[in-house]
Amino acid sequence: MRSVALLSLFPALLAGPAAAAGFSDCVEALRNASLRAGVSRAIVAQALAINAPDEKVLRLSQVQPEFKFAIWDYLAFLVDERRVGDGRAMMARYDRVLRAAEQRFGVDRHVIAAVWGVESDYGRDAGDNFLPHALATLACAGGGRTRFWRSELMAALTLVQRGDLRLDKLYGSWAGAFGQTQFMPTTYQRLAIDFDGDGRRDLVNSVADSLGSTANFLRRAGWRPGEPWMLEVRVPQGYAGPTGRRNKASLAAWARRGVVRADGRPLTGNAQAGLLLPAGPRGPGFLVFRNFDAIYAYNTAESYGIAISHLADRLAGHPRLHTPWPTDDPGLSRDEQRRLQELLAAKGYDVGKIDGKIGQQTRAAIAEAEKRLGWPPTGRPGQKIYRALGGR
Ligand code: CA
């Protein structure tokens, strides 16, 4: 049973029968639009047998993220040693297809693999929301962007109609991205390719189609074959010069501003790059090239671009970041996050499901544990609370 506090997040559900009728009418309109778009009655009937919003999708779409990740937390679990190790194993296993994608599209295979690793943990975790219901919920009860969600739904059903995908395999994130490399349906329509040659574009089941399509996406987003994507650098103490992905200058110009490689070696060359200092001038600096912008197009967050770029470097055998993050409380890997949940649960805190994913319940438990230690309650899963509870 849902608590009152949680219900207050769902004005649509509290509105009662009128809202329910509104939802049914809206879904009926979606059914008709799908038929007009050429989707068969059988597919439409199966896909849109829904008479109330998907509550999990509503909850995820309406709860404002009150917690912002520090960049070092974000990288700690996205580029943890398990993802690096798994990635190297998967790159060996799919070497032929990765090299074929690299050859055809010119995109570095380590970057293709890094996107796969971050988006779905190399195909292991591509989301468990039934996409037609998620998209119908967002279109009819999402509180905005109705046309956007509606066109994504039409695109998804059209892919099923064309035989690219099976309806019963159409599961993904609550916000509509799906498959091993998490394409939105309209992006899938435009850019997915059949890379294993079976006549279908199947980013759910085919690793080859997924990796080929990701390479195609990055190439179309402006990837330049043979050029770098990111380089860790150091800036002079107290640096207050230009920064920003778009503020590009030649490596020679950065060298004149006192920027050097992270290991102290000088910058050389004429490639154009912008400077990112995600934790200020005392933390790691990154020169990001045109190819970083192609990665950014995949998911428009600089922290995402840094995670993909660094994971790609690690998969290629490069070391961890040279400069430490300016914090005395670094973030946790996924294994450490799960262990933290176990340690909290063993001490009687309610963390919800022990799944290695830090949600609101785990944060509340962390805050309680911090209070009991006499610390300010932050709810943040970091090394300090992890060690205080016995993690190692
Ligand atoms: Ca295929």
Side-chain angles (χ1 to χ4, degrees), residues 210-263:
S210 302
L211 301 182
S213 298
T214 294
N216 186 40
F217 181 106
L218 291 169
R219 184 62 198 262
R220 293 278 287 270
W223 186 275
R224 296 178 181 179
E227 294 190 11
W229 44 94
M230 185 176 88
L231 181 65
E232 192 194 344
V233 294
R234 276 195 339 237
V235 299
Q237 201 172 15
Y239 177 83
T243 56
R245 189 170 54 88
R246 292 164 197 269
N247 251 334
K248 288 191 172 58
S250 71
L251 293 184
W254 289 114
R256 285 196 295 276
R257 291 165 185 160
V259 178
V260 294
R261 289 171 176 264
D263 60 9

Side-chain angles (χ1 to χ4, degrees), residues 11 22 44 47 84 168 190 193 261 286 300 319 331 354 364 390:
V44 171
V84 172
D168 63 356
R190 277 190 302 121
I193 60 163
R261 289 171 176 264
F286 303 99
T300 54
I354 295 181

Side-chain angles (χ1 to χ4, degrees), residues 6-206:
L6 213 50
L7 266 175
S8 67
L9 294 168
F10 304 135
L13 293 183
L14 285 174
F23 186 81
S24 294
D25 289 349
C26 176
V27 173
E28 182 60 20
L30 291 177
R31 284 192 202 99
N32 289 328
S34 306
L35 292 170
R36 283 197 302 278
V39 182
S40 76
R41 273 185 193 285
I43 291 172
V44 171
Q46 271 186 55
L48 293 174
I50 172 174
N51 49 32
D54 181 324
E55 290 186 20
K56 186 175 152 215
V57 169
L58 269 191
R59 188 173 69 243
L60 291 168
S61 69
Q62 290 178 352
V63 173
Q64 293 297 315
E66 75 240 33
F67 192 88
K68 272 203 89 177
F69 287 114
I71 178 82
W72 48 83
D73 285 339
Y74 188 74
L75 286 179
F77 68 82
L78 279 184
V79 192
D80 61 20
E81 293 306 311
R82 176 152 59 96
R83 208 181 308 266
V84 172
D86 288 350
R88 288 177 182 161
M90 291 302 250
M91 284 198 73
R93 186 165 158 194
Y94 291 97
D95 183 61
R96 197 186 50 80
V97 67
L98 281 163
R99 285 179 191 274
E102 183 178 75
Q103 176 98 36
R104 174 151 159 207
F105 298 101
V107 178
D108 188 282
R109 64 188 185 281
H110 303 93
V111 173
I112 303 170
V115 170
W116 187 29
V118 165
E119 292 293 347
S120 71
D121 198 17
Y122 309 101
R124 286 189 197 97
D125 181 11
D128 57 2
N129 300 283
F130 185 53
L131 219 60
H133 288 185
L135 292 168
T137 295
L138 293 164
C140 294
R145 300 178 79 200
T146 302
R147 284 171 63 176
F148 171 80
W149 298 119
R150 181 184 160 122
S151 66
E152 292 298 337
L153 174 64
M154 298 294 120
L157 297 185
T158 303
L159 289 165
V160 175
Q161 177 66 39
R162 294 207 319 209
D164 283 330
L165 293 163
R166 278 175 46 177
L167 184 60
D168 63 356
K169 295 287 173 81
L170 206 50
Y171 287 79
S173 87
W174 67 267
F178 72 107
Q180 304 204 14
T181 47
Q182 298 283 289
F183 276 31
M184 290 298 286
T186 53
T187 307
Y188 196 118
Q189 274 196 324
R190 277 190 302 121
L191 297 174
I193 60 163
D194 170 24
F195 203 51
D196 60 12
D198 72 347
R200 299 162 56 236
R201 304 180 298 166
D202 184 352
L203 275 55
V204 173
N205 294 300
S206 166

Side-chain angles (χ1 to χ4, degrees), residues 69-83 325 327 329-344 356-358 362-363 366 379-389 391-392:
F69 287 114
I71 178 82
W72 48 83
D73 285 339
Y74 188 74
L75 286 179
F77 68 82
L78 279 184
V79 192
D80 61 20
E81 293 306 311
R82 176 152 59 96
R83 208 181 308 266
W325 294 106
T327 175
D329 189 11
L332 300 180
S333 69
R334 287 170 299 162
D335 292 340
E336 288 167 339
Q337 288 186 349
R338 174 182 283 269
R339 183 78 188 118
L340 175 60
Q341 287 180 320
E342 289 169 356
L343 292 165
L344 286 163
K357 293 174 182 171
I358 306 289
T362 304
R363 289 191 200 293
I366 293 168
R380 175 182 163 264
Q383 289 289 347
K384 277 189 177 171
I385 188 69
Y386 178 67
R387 287 171 195 282
L389 293 172
R392 58 185 71 223

